């Protein structure tokens, strides 16, 4: 029986969400997904205005302000006045924030690797073959 794309989309949505949550719970306690995503964006793209970071992350400015405040409180980010417009603020990942992200990724990737190792060789191969399609979804490309 061939599944419809709607069935595949629904199953994929649930599986990805549950796997992500399970990996977060399996590791050491840390920041939530929104904080991790925002901090990752700052690490990759460098200092950003809060409004630009909010737009990049797809959240409201007020939500991003709370996220950045929690990152600053934890020492994982800093807020500095924008040198171009002193009324605006730039958020920047700190070295401690970059280390925390690396440690967190390492822990979660290690946990994921343990789970993949428990799969049958056929399922492991299927995951490898599915990666280009999953990466295309993230890039907004058609596979």
């Amino acid at each position: 029986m061939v599944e419809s794309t709607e069935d595949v989309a629904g199953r994929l949505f649930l599986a990805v969400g549950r796997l992500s949550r399970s990996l977060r719970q399996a590791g050491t306690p840390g920041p939530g997904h929104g904080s991790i995503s925002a901090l990752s964006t700052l690490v990759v793209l460098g200092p950003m205005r809060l409004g630009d970071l909010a737009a990049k992350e797809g959240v409201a400015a007020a939500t991003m302000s709370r996220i950045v405040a929690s990152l600053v409180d934890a020492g994982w980010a800093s807020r500095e006045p924008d040198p171009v417009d002193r009324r605006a603020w730039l958020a920047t990942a700190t070295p401690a924030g970059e280390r925390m992200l690396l440690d967190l990724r390492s822990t979660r990737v290690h946990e994921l690797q343990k789970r993949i190792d428990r799969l049958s060789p056929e399922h492991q191969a299927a995951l490898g073959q599915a990666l280009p399609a999953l990466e295309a979804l993230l890039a907004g490309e058609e596979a």
Side-chain angles (χ1 to χ4, degrees):
M1 178 176 125
V2 177
E3 287 188 85
S4 73
T5 57
E6 187 176 309
D7 291 340
V8 170
R11 287 181 62 198
L12 181 60
F13 179 79
L14 287 175
V16 168
R18 288 175 177 161
L19 179 60
S20 179
R21 183 174 50 252
S22 177
L23 290 173
R24 283 194 310 269
Q25 293 170 347
T28 56
H33 178 72
S35 294
I36 292 168
S37 182
L39 188 58
S40 294
T41 298
L42 292 174
V43 168
V44 171
L45 299 179
M48 296 181 77
R49 286 181 171 199
L50 295 182
D52 294 338
L53 183 56
K56 186 80 174 160
E57 293 295 309
V59 299
T63 300
M64 186 52 62
S65 182
R66 285 190 299 276
I67 289 171
V68 170
S70 71
L71 292 172
V72 169
D73 288 346
W76 297 326
S78 63
R79 280 176 44 144
E80 305 294 331
D82 184 340
V84 176
D85 180 356
R86 303 299 264 177
R87 298 169 296 170
W89 292 89
L90 292 176
T92 305
T94 63
E98 291 185 38
R99 278 191 306 279
M100 184 277 299
L101 271 181
L102 285 174
D103 291 346
L104 188 66
R105 283 186 184 140
S106 177
T107 300
R108 291 180 183 172
V109 167
H110 179 70
E111 176 62 26
L112 183 56
Q113 183 62 56
K114 288 189 326 189
R115 293 175 187 204
I116 291 171
D117 288 345
R118 291 191 301 255
L119 294 175
S120 69
E122 295 80 17
H123 280 139
Q124 289 180 20
L127 277 176
Q129 292 168 353
L131 282 174
L134 292 171
E135 290 165 344
L137 289 174
L138 290 170
E141 302 170 359
E142 291 189 25

